[in-house]
Every structure is written in structure tokens, then in C-alpha cells.
Amino acid sequence: GMKKVGINFVNTATPNSYIQGAPGVVNTKAALEKNEITVVGTKLQQDKKDYIIKNIRNIPFAFLAYTEGLENTKNIEEASEYINIAEEEKIRNDIKAAKEEGAEFIVVNMYWEKGKDTSVTSKQQKWVDMLIDAGANVILGNNSSGIQKMEMKENSEGEPVLVVYSLGSFLSQNEIVMNKKKRGTIDPNVELLVQFDVEKEIASGKVSLVKVTYTPLYLVDNGENEKERYELFEIKETLKKAEKQE
């Protein structure tokens, strides 16, 4: 199903990645790679590096993924042999190694420790500051049941860095949650697709983030008895169609 809809690259570093132990990680990775889907975030013991470098239109991108914590896992040391657990020193070393291997643009996916809130925590902001200092060009966040804000930041060289704190759940059976303290509603059915354009200057060889666009989506659950249970709709396009029909 994932391959049919065009998914060819996934992050598998989540708090639940090790619930089935090493066999679960190994089998999941094998099943995805059998369908030509690249995996980042989990690994096999024999893998020598914790990132993936892909050459896209003559630009070498490095993709890294980490989870802040693990659930129902007693042996964290053993789990870390299969899952990229977020630690500052490790992340800095991985980004450094990726750059030394030739990566010119760094994309980091972070699975934050706490979800179910649309507000950004101070801990998330600290991680973001560290990642930018370490050399990340794009930071994509997960583990909020709802979407969180996006923002453009700058690194020490004045270059733009895209930060997306949460893209939402994409496909989820979570229920809509009322946040009484903040008088807001967290709708896990609202998702984001983000597209960013990167250019490389021929003369200088400099690689830069030049454009960011996003598409808000809404997930509809048609019921477990339906052949196509879940459908994703582009919110803007759906509203336009509805306006024309009125």
C-alpha cells in the first residue's frame, strides 16, 4: 500500500520501535526494503552508520532520524543497537560524519518525547537549537497528535533552516482531544504535507534552501467495513470545490 501511493522513504525511529524487540525491528526493515522503501531511524547490528545519504539531482542529501525515548523497553542499551535514540553527542557525531562523507544538505527527523499538544515545548526548542548548531538544514518533527507550527530560523552563517515541529499523525485512529487548559481542540485528522526546494549554485557549489510550501490535509475514516477505509483530502481544494457547488 505504501509503495502504491508513492512512499519511498520512511523514518522508523519511534518510542514503539522496540516493543517487539530486535526481531520486530529486523522484520519491519526487511519488509520495507523488500518493497524498495528506504529506512532511516532503525538499523541492523552490522550497519556501520546511522544515517542515509541519497544523491538527488546531483545534490547529496543526508537523512537522519531519532526518537527521544522508548516505551515498554527495559534494556535501552540493547535497543540502541537497533534504534537511533536521541542523544546530543551522537547526533552531532552523526551529522559530522555525514558531512565528511560528502553530504551537502542535512535533513533530521525528530520524534519528540511528548505528544497530544499543539504547543511547542521549551525542550523541543532546545533540541532545535542544538540541531541547527550541529548543522541541520531541515528539521521535521513528529509525535504530536495534532499539527504544530512551522518556522524559518537561521544558522550561524545566516542560512535559512526550516523547522516543522509536527506534521501531525497522517494516518491515525486517535480521537479529537479538547485541551481544557488552553481552550483549544487537537484534531489528529488534520495533517500537513511539506515540500521544500533546494538549489545548488554552479559557480560556488553552495547548496541552499530556497522555497517552502505546504498542503493541509484532512483524514476521513470511512469505517472498518469499507474497502477504502481511510481517505486524505486536500483541505484547500475541497473547500474550493464546495464553494463552486453552492
PDB file of all heavy atoms in Angstrom, residues 194-221:
ATOM      1  N   VAL A 194       4.642  18.837   3.598  1.00  0.00           N
ATOM      2  CA  VAL A 194       5.556  19.963   3.405  1.00  0.00           C
ATOM      3  C   VAL A 194       6.498  19.660   2.253  1.00  0.00           C
ATOM      4  O   VAL A 194       7.043  18.553   2.159  1.00  0.00           O
ATOM      5  CB  VAL A 194       6.361  20.250   4.685  1.00  0.00           C
ATOM      6  CG1 VAL A 194       7.421  21.314   4.441  1.00  0.00           C
ATOM      7  CG2 VAL A 194       5.435  20.699   5.811  1.00  0.00           C
ATOM      8  N   GLN A 195       6.676  20.629   1.384  1.00  0.00           N
ATOM      9  CA  GLN A 195       7.619  20.499   0.281  1.00  0.00           C
ATOM     10  C   GLN A 195       8.645  21.617   0.373  1.00  0.00           C
ATOM     11  O   GLN A 195       8.292  22.777   0.579  1.00  0.00           O
ATOM     12  CB  GLN A 195       6.902  20.587  -1.068  1.00  0.00           C
ATOM     13  CG  GLN A 195       7.852  20.536  -2.266  1.00  0.00           C
ATOM     14  CD  GLN A 195       7.112  20.580  -3.589  1.00  0.00           C
ATOM     15  OE1 GLN A 195       6.089  19.923  -3.756  1.00  0.00           O
ATOM     16  NE2 GLN A 195       7.619  21.359  -4.530  1.00  0.00           N
ATOM     17  N   PHE A 196       9.907  21.267   0.244  1.00  0.00           N
ATOM     18  CA  PHE A 196      10.937  22.303   0.233  1.00  0.00           C
ATOM     19  C   PHE A 196      11.843  22.121  -0.989  1.00  0.00           C
ATOM     20  O   PHE A 196      12.138  21.002  -1.391  1.00  0.00           O
ATOM     21  CB  PHE A 196      11.751  22.310   1.535  1.00  0.00           C
ATOM     22  CG  PHE A 196      12.378  20.996   1.914  1.00  0.00           C
ATOM     23  CD1 PHE A 196      13.651  20.650   1.458  1.00  0.00           C
ATOM     24  CD2 PHE A 196      11.706  20.108   2.745  1.00  0.00           C
ATOM     25  CE1 PHE A 196      14.231  19.451   1.817  1.00  0.00           C
ATOM     26  CE2 PHE A 196      12.281  18.892   3.103  1.00  0.00           C
ATOM     27  CZ  PHE A 196      13.551  18.565   2.639  1.00  0.00           C
ATOM     28  N   ASP A 197      12.217  23.247  -1.574  1.00  0.00           N
ATOM     29  CA  ASP A 197      13.069  23.242  -2.758  1.00  0.00           C
ATOM     30  C   ASP A 197      14.488  23.636  -2.379  1.00  0.00           C
ATOM     31  O   ASP A 197      14.702  24.577  -1.594  1.00  0.00           O
ATOM     32  CB  ASP A 197      12.537  24.223  -3.803  1.00  0.00           C
ATOM     33  CG  ASP A 197      11.168  23.805  -4.350  1.00  0.00           C
ATOM     34  OD1 ASP A 197      10.756  22.661  -4.087  1.00  0.00           O
ATOM     35  OD2 ASP A 197      10.530  24.619  -5.029  1.00  0.00           O
ATOM     36  N   VAL A 198      15.436  22.914  -2.937  1.00  0.00           N
ATOM     37  CA  VAL A 198      16.852  23.142  -2.658  1.00  0.00           C
ATOM     38  C   VAL A 198      17.581  23.382  -3.974  1.00  0.00           C
ATOM     39  O   VAL A 198      17.307  22.702  -4.975  1.00  0.00           O
ATOM     40  CB  VAL A 198      17.457  21.920  -1.931  1.00  0.00           C
ATOM     41  CG1 VAL A 198      18.948  22.106  -1.701  1.00  0.00           C
ATOM     42  CG2 VAL A 198      16.751  21.695  -0.595  1.00  0.00           C
ATOM     43  N   GLU A 199      18.462  24.354  -3.975  1.00  0.00           N
ATOM     44  CA  GLU A 199      19.227  24.673  -5.184  1.00  0.00           C
ATOM     45  C   GLU A 199      20.725  24.659  -4.896  1.00  0.00           C
ATOM     46  O   GLU A 199      21.150  24.947  -3.775  1.00  0.00           O
ATOM     47  CB  GLU A 199      18.837  26.050  -5.730  1.00  0.00           C
ATOM     48  CG  GLU A 199      17.468  26.100  -6.371  1.00  0.00           C
ATOM     49  CD  GLU A 199      17.160  27.455  -6.985  1.00  0.00           C
ATOM     50  OE1 GLU A 199      17.996  28.380  -6.838  1.00  0.00           O
ATOM     51  OE2 GLU A 199      16.087  27.599  -7.591  1.00  0.00           O
ATOM     52  N   LYS A 200      21.482  24.339  -5.942  1.00  0.00           N
ATOM     53  CA  LYS A 200      22.936  24.344  -5.841  1.00  0.00           C
ATOM     54  C   LYS A 200      23.497  25.315  -6.869  1.00  0.00           C
ATOM     55  O   LYS A 200      23.232  25.194  -8.062  1.00  0.00           O
ATOM     56  CB  LYS A 200      23.497  22.943  -6.083  1.00  0.00           C
ATOM     57  CG  LYS A 200      25.007  22.832  -5.882  1.00  0.00           C
ATOM     58  CD  LYS A 200      25.452  21.380  -5.958  1.00  0.00           C
ATOM     59  CE  LYS A 200      26.927  21.246  -5.624  1.00  0.00           C
ATOM     60  NZ  LYS A 200      27.363  19.835  -5.605  1.00  0.00           N
ATOM     61  N   GLU A 201      24.257  26.298  -6.390  1.00  0.00           N
ATOM     62  CA  GLU A 201      24.871  27.266  -7.292  1.00  0.00           C
ATOM     63  C   GLU A 201      26.017  26.600  -8.054  1.00  0.00           C
ATOM     64  O   GLU A 201      26.887  25.966  -7.448  1.00  0.00           O
ATOM     65  CB  GLU A 201      25.396  28.470  -6.505  1.00  0.00           C
ATOM     66  CG  GLU A 201      24.311  29.305  -5.848  1.00  0.00           C
ATOM     67  CD  GLU A 201      24.881  30.491  -5.102  1.00  0.00           C
ATOM     68  OE1 GLU A 201      26.112  30.713  -5.185  1.00  0.00           O
ATOM     69  OE2 GLU A 201      24.108  31.196  -4.430  1.00  0.00           O
ATOM     70  N   ILE A 202      26.006  26.760  -9.361  1.00  0.00           N
ATOM     71  CA  ILE A 202      27.016  26.099 -10.189  1.00  0.00           C
ATOM     72  C   ILE A 202      28.401  26.649  -9.910  1.00  0.00           C
ATOM     73  O   ILE A 202      29.380  25.906  -9.774  1.00  0.00           O
ATOM     74  CB  ILE A 202      26.667  26.252 -11.685  1.00  0.00           C
ATOM     75  CG1 ILE A 202      25.340  25.544 -11.982  1.00  0.00           C
ATOM     76  CG2 ILE A 202      27.788  25.679 -12.553  1.00  0.00           C
ATOM     77  CD1 ILE A 202      24.854  25.716 -13.398  1.00  0.00           C
ATOM     78  N   ALA A 203      28.496  27.962  -9.805  1.00  0.00           N
ATOM     79  CA  ALA A 203      29.800  28.597  -9.635  1.00  0.00           C
ATOM     80  C   ALA A 203      30.447  28.270  -8.293  1.00  0.00           C
ATOM     81  O   ALA A 203      31.606  27.840  -8.231  1.00  0.00           O
ATOM     82  CB  ALA A 203      29.663  30.109  -9.793  1.00  0.00           C
ATOM     83  N   SER A 204      29.679  28.450  -7.221  1.00  0.00           N
ATOM     84  CA  SER A 204      30.245  28.273  -5.880  1.00  0.00           C
ATOM     85  C   SER A 204      30.062  26.872  -5.318  1.00  0.00           C
ATOM     86  O   SER A 204      30.787  26.456  -4.409  1.00  0.00           O
ATOM     87  CB  SER A 204      29.611  29.285  -4.917  1.00  0.00           C
ATOM     88  OG  SER A 204      28.220  28.997  -4.756  1.00  0.00           O
ATOM     89  N   GLY A 205      29.085  26.146  -5.850  1.00  0.00           N
ATOM     90  CA  GLY A 205      28.775  24.819  -5.317  1.00  0.00           C
ATOM     91  C   GLY A 205      27.963  24.867  -4.037  1.00  0.00           C
ATOM     92  O   GLY A 205      27.713  23.835  -3.409  1.00  0.00           O
ATOM     93  N   LYS A 206      27.515  26.052  -3.647  1.00  0.00           N
ATOM     94  CA  LYS A 206      26.756  26.210  -2.402  1.00  0.00           C
ATOM     95  C   LYS A 206      25.341  25.673  -2.567  1.00  0.00           C
ATOM     96  O   LYS A 206      24.651  25.960  -3.534  1.00  0.00           O
ATOM     97  CB  LYS A 206      26.702  27.688  -2.003  1.00  0.00           C
ATOM     98  CG  LYS A 206      26.011  27.936  -0.678  1.00  0.00           C
ATOM     99  CD  LYS A 206      26.025  29.417  -0.325  1.00  0.00           C
ATOM    100  CE  LYS A 206      25.325  29.674   0.992  1.00  0.00           C
ATOM    101  NZ  LYS A 206      25.315  31.113   1.338  1.00  0.00           N
ATOM    102  N   VAL A 207      24.886  24.913  -1.578  1.00  0.00           N
ATOM    103  CA  VAL A 207      23.538  24.337  -1.574  1.00  0.00           C
ATOM    104  C   VAL A 207      22.679  25.121  -0.583  1.00  0.00           C
ATOM    105  O   VAL A 207      23.081  25.333   0.564  1.00  0.00           O
ATOM    106  CB  VAL A 207      23.567  22.850  -1.189  1.00  0.00           C
ATOM    107  CG1 VAL A 207      22.152  22.285  -1.110  1.00  0.00           C
ATOM    108  CG2 VAL A 207      24.403  22.061  -2.187  1.00  0.00           C
ATOM    109  N   SER A 208      21.486  25.544  -1.029  1.00  0.00           N
ATOM    110  CA  SER A 208      20.643  26.385  -0.187  1.00  0.00           C
ATOM    111  C   SER A 208      19.187  25.979  -0.261  1.00  0.00           C
ATOM    112  O   SER A 208      18.705  25.486  -1.293  1.00  0.00           O
ATOM    113  CB  SER A 208      20.762  27.862  -0.605  1.00  0.00           C
ATOM    114  OG  SER A 208      22.094  28.306  -0.560  1.00  0.00           O
ATOM    115  N   LEU A 209      18.489  26.202   0.830  1.00  0.00           N
ATOM    116  CA  LEU A 209      17.036  26.057   0.887  1.00  0.00           C
ATOM    117  C   LEU A 209      16.425  27.326   0.305  1.00  0.00           C
ATOM    118  O   LEU A 209      16.702  28.422   0.785  1.00  0.00           O
ATOM    119  CB  LEU A 209      16.601  25.867   2.335  1.00  0.00           C
ATOM    120  CG  LEU A 209      15.103  25.795   2.628  1.00  0.00           C
ATOM    121  CD1 LEU A 209      14.514  24.522   2.059  1.00  0.00           C
ATOM    122  CD2 LEU A 209      14.874  25.849   4.145  1.00  0.00           C
ATOM    123  N   VAL A 210      15.614  27.191  -0.758  1.00  0.00           N
ATOM    124  CA  VAL A 210      15.144  28.390  -1.452  1.00  0.00           C
ATOM    125  C   VAL A 210      13.631  28.592  -1.395  1.00  0.00           C
ATOM    126  O   VAL A 210      13.141  29.708  -1.598  1.00  0.00           O
ATOM    127  CB  VAL A 210      15.591  28.381  -2.932  1.00  0.00           C
ATOM    128  CG1 VAL A 210      17.108  28.476  -3.029  1.00  0.00           C
ATOM    129  CG2 VAL A 210      15.080  27.146  -3.667  1.00  0.00           C
ATOM    130  N   LYS A 211      12.866  27.534  -1.125  1.00  0.00           N
ATOM    131  CA  LYS A 211      11.413  27.680  -1.137  1.00  0.00           C
ATOM    132  C   LYS A 211      10.763  26.612  -0.280  1.00  0.00           C
ATOM    133  O   LYS A 211      11.206  25.462  -0.262  1.00  0.00           O
ATOM    134  CB  LYS A 211      10.885  27.587  -2.572  1.00  0.00           C
ATOM    135  CG  LYS A 211       9.383  27.814  -2.720  1.00  0.00           C
ATOM    136  CD  LYS A 211       8.949  27.693  -4.172  1.00  0.00           C
ATOM    137  CE  LYS A 211       7.458  27.886  -4.334  1.00  0.00           C
ATOM    138  NZ  LYS A 211       7.022  27.719  -5.753  1.00  0.00           N
ATOM    139  N   VAL A 212       9.696  26.998   0.443  1.00  0.00           N
ATOM    140  CA  VAL A 212       8.947  26.049   1.258  1.00  0.00           C
ATOM    141  C   VAL A 212       7.455  26.238   0.998  1.00  0.00           C
ATOM    142  O   VAL A 212       6.959  27.363   1.016  1.00  0.00           O
ATOM    143  CB  VAL A 212       9.219  26.256   2.771  1.00  0.00           C
ATOM    144  CG1 VAL A 212       8.380  25.276   3.596  1.00  0.00           C
ATOM    145  CG2 VAL A 212      10.699  26.080   3.086  1.00  0.00           C
ATOM    146  N   THR A 213       6.758  25.166   0.725  1.00  0.00           N
ATOM    147  CA  THR A 213       5.300  25.204   0.581  1.00  0.00           C
ATOM    148  C   THR A 213       4.697  24.071   1.404  1.00  0.00           C
ATOM    149  O   THR A 213       5.381  23.105   1.758  1.00  0.00           O
ATOM    150  CB  THR A 213       4.869  25.037  -0.893  1.00  0.00           C
ATOM    151  OG1 THR A 213       5.408  23.809  -1.405  1.00  0.00           O
ATOM    152  CG2 THR A 213       5.365  26.196  -1.747  1.00  0.00           C
ATOM    153  N   TYR A 214       3.406  24.191   1.719  1.00  0.00           N
ATOM    154  CA  TYR A 214       2.767  23.134   2.484  1.00  0.00           C
ATOM    155  C   TYR A 214       1.331  22.936   2.017  1.00  0.00           C
ATOM    156  O   TYR A 214       0.699  23.843   1.470  1.00  0.00           O
ATOM    157  CB  TYR A 214       2.798  23.441   3.983  1.00  0.00           C
ATOM    158  CG  TYR A 214       1.929  24.601   4.409  1.00  0.00           C
ATOM    159  CD1 TYR A 214       0.618  24.393   4.826  1.00  0.00           C
ATOM    160  CD2 TYR A 214       2.418  25.908   4.385  1.00  0.00           C
ATOM    161  CE1 TYR A 214      -0.190  25.456   5.221  1.00  0.00           C
ATOM    162  CE2 TYR A 214       1.628  26.975   4.776  1.00  0.00           C
ATOM    163  CZ  TYR A 214       0.325  26.745   5.192  1.00  0.00           C
ATOM    164  OH  TYR A 214      -0.467  27.797   5.559  1.00  0.00           O
ATOM    165  N   THR A 215       0.840  21.732   2.222  1.00  0.00           N
ATOM    166  CA  THR A 215      -0.529  21.377   1.858  1.00  0.00           C
ATOM    167  C   THR A 215      -1.231  20.804   3.073  1.00  0.00           C
ATOM    168  O   THR A 215      -0.853  19.747   3.581  1.00  0.00           O
ATOM    169  CB  THR A 215      -0.542  20.325   0.732  1.00  0.00           C
ATOM    170  OG1 THR A 215       0.189  20.814  -0.392  1.00  0.00           O
ATOM    171  CG2 THR A 215      -1.971  19.996   0.314  1.00  0.00           C
ATOM    172  N   PRO A 216      -2.268  21.491   3.605  1.00  0.00           N
ATOM    173  CA  PRO A 216      -3.038  20.929   4.719  1.00  0.00           C
ATOM    174  C   PRO A 216      -3.977  19.832   4.224  1.00  0.00           C
ATOM    175  O   PRO A 216      -4.624  19.983   3.176  1.00  0.00           O
ATOM    176  CB  PRO A 216      -3.808  22.134   5.264  1.00  0.00           C
ATOM    177  CG  PRO A 216      -3.887  23.096   4.131  1.00  0.00           C
ATOM    178  CD  PRO A 216      -2.694  22.861   3.269  1.00  0.00           C
ATOM    179  N   LEU A 217      -4.044  18.748   4.976  1.00  0.00           N
ATOM    180  CA  LEU A 217      -4.867  17.603   4.598  1.00  0.00           C
ATOM    181  C   LEU A 217      -5.834  17.270   5.722  1.00  0.00           C
ATOM    182  O   LEU A 217      -5.615  17.624   6.881  1.00  0.00           O
ATOM    183  CB  LEU A 217      -3.993  16.381   4.331  1.00  0.00           C
ATOM    184  CG  LEU A 217      -2.869  16.498   3.308  1.00  0.00           C
ATOM    185  CD1 LEU A 217      -2.005  15.249   3.353  1.00  0.00           C
ATOM    186  CD2 LEU A 217      -3.431  16.702   1.910  1.00  0.00           C
ATOM    187  N   TYR A 218      -6.906  16.562   5.359  1.00  0.00           N
ATOM    188  CA  TYR A 218      -7.828  16.064   6.382  1.00  0.00           C
ATOM    189  C   TYR A 218      -8.086  14.583   6.134  1.00  0.00           C
ATOM    190  O   TYR A 218      -8.369  14.169   5.010  1.00  0.00           O
ATOM    191  CB  TYR A 218      -9.148  16.824   6.378  1.00  0.00           C
ATOM    192  CG  TYR A 218      -9.939  16.594   7.650  1.00  0.00           C
ATOM    193  CD1 TYR A 218      -9.669  17.350   8.788  1.00  0.00           C
ATOM    194  CD2 TYR A 218     -10.902  15.598   7.742  1.00  0.00           C
ATOM    195  CE1 TYR A 218     -10.354  17.119   9.981  1.00  0.00           C
ATOM    196  CE2 TYR A 218     -11.587  15.362   8.927  1.00  0.00           C
ATOM    197  CZ  TYR A 218     -11.309  16.133  10.042  1.00  0.00           C
ATOM    198  OH  TYR A 218     -11.975  15.899  11.222  1.00  0.00           O
ATOM    199  N   LEU A 219      -7.951  13.802   7.195  1.00  0.00           N
ATOM    200  CA  LEU A 219      -8.146  12.358   7.116  1.00  0.00           C
ATOM    201  C   LEU A 219      -9.577  11.992   7.475  1.00  0.00           C
ATOM    202  O   LEU A 219     -10.085  12.394   8.516  1.00  0.00           O
ATOM    203  CB  LEU A 219      -7.182  11.652   8.073  1.00  0.00           C
ATOM    204  CG  LEU A 219      -7.356  10.140   8.215  1.00  0.00           C
ATOM    205  CD1 LEU A 219      -6.961   9.429   6.936  1.00  0.00           C
ATOM    206  CD2 LEU A 219      -6.535   9.622   9.395  1.00  0.00           C
ATOM    207  N   VAL A 220     -10.221  11.227   6.594  1.00  0.00           N
ATOM    208  CA  VAL A 220     -11.587  10.758   6.840  1.00  0.00           C
ATOM    209  C   VAL A 220     -11.569   9.245   7.015  1.00  0.00           C
ATOM    210  O   VAL A 220     -11.008   8.518   6.192  1.00  0.00           O
ATOM    211  CB  VAL A 220     -12.525  11.150   5.672  1.00  0.00           C
ATOM    212  CG1 VAL A 220     -13.906  10.540   5.875  1.00  0.00           C
ATOM    213  CG2 VAL A 220     -12.637  12.664   5.570  1.00  0.00           C
ATOM    214  N   ASP A 221     -12.156   8.780   8.114  1.00  0.00           N
ATOM    215  CA  ASP A 221     -12.277   7.353   8.385  1.00  0.00           C
ATOM    216  C   ASP A 221     -13.669   6.901   7.927  1.00  0.00           C
ATOM    217  O   ASP A 221     -14.674   7.261   8.529  1.00  0.00           O
ATOM    218  CB  ASP A 221     -12.081   7.101   9.876  1.00  0.00           C
ATOM    219  CG  ASP A 221     -12.106   5.609  10.231  1.00  0.00           C
ATOM    220  OD1 ASP A 221     -12.459   4.793   9.363  1.00  0.00           O
ATOM    221  OD2 ASP A 221     -11.777   5.278  11.378  1.00  0.00           O
TER     222      ASP A 221
END
